[in-house]
Amino acid sequence: MLMTVLAFALALGVLIAVHEYGHYRVAVACGVKVLRFSVGFGKPLLRWTPKGSSTEFVLAAFPLGGYVRMLDEREAPVAEGERHLAFNNKPLRSRAAIVAAGPAANLLLAVLLYAGVNWIGVQEPKPYVASPPAGSLAQAAGLKGAELVQAVARGDGPLEPVVSFDELRWALARAALEGQDARLQIVRPQTAAATELKLPLGTLETREADEKLFERIGVVAPWTPAVMGELLPDGAARRAGLREGDKVLAVGAVPVVDGQQLRGLIRASVRGTEAVAQDWRIERGGQPMQLSVRPDAVQQDDQWVGRIGAFVGAAPEMTLVRRGFVEGLQNGAQRTWDLSVLTLRMMGRMVIGEASLKNISGPLTIADYAGKSASMGFTQYLAFLALISVSLGVLNLLPLPVLDGGHLMYYLWEGVTGRQVSEAWMERLQRLGVAVLLLMMCIAFFNDINRLLG
């Protein structure tokens, strides 16, 4: 719990500070006098004014946001000698640049964070695919399990190499959400020649990038050998005589390819509310054996499934994914761009009802992910920060009057018509923007509660 709170606080502090620093830095460069730079709202907990600066820096009590207060005649009287330093008296291009600098800073931070992950390197499962679920697109396409995916192409695009299972899933999710088919270049077990097969992802018409999507695609988990791991003292596996390290060769008449398939066979062993005994053919210490295993029937999500009280499947084969300076930076920029485009498309689809509002996450979910990523390691936490930084940058570019994107819309109007939006219209639009933002916050909070309770 403490790690979750600290990781969330650090994430908020960094992302808000970077966003506001973007506004501040460009404002100073454009000759605008900045009165206050605040991370957080409400009562100041810490404040200081650097020597030779007219800006007061503040750390405030309520951390969900921040602001940069600039000299502006619309907010307070400005001395005649400082009118040239006021924000409202600057050219349109300067005002637009200052407003756009906040989201731009978040997107630039995401590029650097993803590049940092690439430079440091991270251990990820190799792109060996597990046996696909029955009825999935991968099964229909001919995948059996244990194939190595070397490259993926989206739509009519070229094949692009993949070096990890996470990269494979990311490429497939992008293709499915964009309604594109995918082509996989694979190498099957005990063969050297690469073959190509097609996944008709465009037929899925999916709205959410969740585990159900990957089950329909058929790429659920990396391949792992069907080896028994740690056994619980009172589980069905120990009662049947199974031991840690046993390799499962078959369940009944069904040959077992990997841990993913074995877990599926165990889950499907229930008839009604009772589990059926299964004849397992195993290998222990190089010697074949046969055991009768009756899984325990447990209720999960309104259905009965089988459990044996043991970890099934060994750890997947891992690889260190590390890139050089230029390649890492390029990959960071590409990942940031892809995520930004995907986020905008998902938001657009939510607006027109083609995507579920369940995709909206709030601070509780973000805090939960912050703690989990921090516990997994430094590079995972950097990747989490990059993802949230992209989301913050894109969100602030939305054309809502209370956000930076709304102000940019005002400036677009001014640039096209030659006159500013009237105060009456700005007041109406501000109210509309606040209402929409409050609605989004309520939906996000509702989704958070459902995720945490579910």
Side-chain angles (χ1 to χ4, degrees):
M1 182 64 181
L2 179 60
M3 176 175 286
T4 296
V5 173
L6 293 177
F8 180 54
L10 178 60
L12 276 184
V14 169
L15 298 180
I16 292 170
V18 167
H19 180 91
E20 300 304 335
Y21 186 77
H23 291 311
Y24 166 78
R25 189 68 263 165
V26 176
V28 171
C30 292
V32 176
K33 183 177 180 179
V34 179
L35 304 177
R36 175 179 283 187
F37 179 108
S38 178
V39 176
F41 299 109
K43 182 180 179 180
L45 300 177
L46 182 65
R47 64 172 79 194
W48 70 98
T49 302
K51 187 177 180 180
S53 173
S54 60
T55 303
E56 179 187 43
F57 290 83
V58 172
L59 184 63
F62 191 63
L64 296 179
Y67 62 91
V68 172
R69 181 177 297 161
M70 291 170 272
L71 193 67
D72 196 317
E73 292 179 317
R74 297 169 299 179
E75 296 183 1
V78 175
E80 184 64 30
E82 291 190 327
R83 291 188 70 248
H84 67 287
L85 300 177
F87 175 83
N88 64 290
N89 289 327
K90 292 300 178 180
L92 176 60
R93 63 179 181 275
S94 297
R95 285 179 279 137
I98 293 169
V99 170
N106 283 124
L107 296 176
L108 178 59
L109 175 65
V111 172
L112 296 177
L113 288 171
Y114 278 130
V117 172
N118 291 329
W119 297 332
I120 295 170
V122 60
Q123 291 285 345
E124 296 181 7
K126 287 187 176 181
Y128 287 98
V129 294
S131 55
S136 65
L137 297 182
Q139 184 194 51
L143 285 175
K144 304 294 185 183
E147 292 92 350
L148 173 65
V149 180
Q150 295 181 322
V152 178
R154 293 184 294 122
D156 297 326
L159 286 166
E160 298 178 358
V162 291
V163 296
S164 72
F165 187 78
D166 292 341
E167 280 192 10
L168 170 62
R169 295 236 304 182
W170 167 245
L172 295 178
R174 285 173 58 199
L177 291 171
E178 294 172 7
Q180 297 178 319
D181 295 336
R183 303 193 322 275
L184 305 184
Q185 180 179 291
I186 65 170
V187 176
R188 299 186 184 276
Q190 286 82 48
T191 63
T195 59
E196 190 174 306
L197 56 82
K198 181 179 180 181
L199 295 180
L201 304 183
T203 63
L204 293 177
E205 297 181 354
T206 184
R207 297 184 176 189
E208 296 181 48
D210 55 12
E211 285 305 312
K212 290 183 179 179
L213 168 62
F214 292 110
E215 288 175 4
R216 294 169 67 191
I217 295 173
V219 180
V220 179
W223 183 86
T224 59
V227 175
M228 302 305 299
E230 182 181 354
L231 279 65
L232 299 181
D234 56 349
R238 190 173 292 278
R239 293 197 304 268
L242 287 165
R243 297 179 185 176
E244 186 174 343
D246 285 348
K247 182 179 180 181
V248 182
L249 305 176
V251 173
V254 180
V256 174
V257 177
D258 62 0
Q260 172 73 16
Q261 180 194 14
L262 179 57
R263 288 189 290 270
L265 293 170
I266 295 170
R267 286 176 59 88
S269 65
V270 175
R271 302 293 180 268
T273 60
E274 296 291 331
V276 178
Q278 303 166 317
D279 290 326
W280 285 27
R281 188 155 50 87
I282 68 171
E283 181 181 290
R284 179 183 297 168
Q287 298 298 316
M289 297 180 61
Q290 189 161 315
L291 297 173
S292 178
V293 181
R294 182 187 294 274
D296 296 320
V298 299
Q299 194 169 13
Q300 181 184 31
D301 297 332
D302 299 326
Q303 63 175 333
W304 289 86
V305 298
R307 290 281 187 272
I308 64 169
F311 290 98
V312 177
E317 187 176 353
M318 306 294 285
T319 183
L320 179 64
V321 181
R322 178 185 290 163
R323 294 179 171 87
F325 181 81
V326 175
E327 185 186 3
L329 199 59
Q330 290 174 338
N331 180 269
Q334 185 64 50
R335 175 59 72 92
T336 300
W337 172 259
D338 290 341
L339 273 173
S340 300
V341 172
L342 182 60
T343 301
L344 284 173
R345 287 181 175 174
M346 287 298 295
M347 288 180 175
R349 294 177 67 180
M350 282 189 282
V351 169
I352 62 177
E354 290 187 357
S356 173
L357 294 176
K358 293 179 181 179
N359 289 289
I360 300 177
S361 298
L364 297 181
T365 298
I366 295 173
D368 184 43
Y369 287 163
K372 289 178 179 177
S373 63
S375 65
M376 293 171 64
F378 182 62
T379 52
Q380 284 79 5
Y381 186 63
L382 289 184
F384 162 78
L385 284 179
L387 175 62
I388 302 303
S389 194
V390 170
S391 300
L392 183 60
V394 172
L395 176 65
N396 272 280
L397 286 174
L398 295 180
L400 289 177
V402 291
L403 301 176
D404 294 327
H407 291 282
L408 291 175
M409 291 298 294
Y410 294 155
Y411 300 147
L412 177 61
W413 169 267
E414 183 179 344
V416 171
T417 65
R419 61 180 186 274
Q420 297 183 358
V421 178
S422 68
E423 291 187 8
W425 267 107
M426 286 187 67
E427 185 177 348
R428 296 189 191 104
L429 292 171
Q430 286 291 108
R431 290 176 181 174
L432 176 62
V434 170
V436 173
L437 198 59
L438 286 175
L439 177 61
M440 292 174 62
M441 291 173 64
C442 290
I443 294 172
F445 183 74
F446 179 78
N447 290 341
D448 281 357
I449 297 299
N450 280 342
R451 289 188 185 103
L452 294 178
L453 294 181

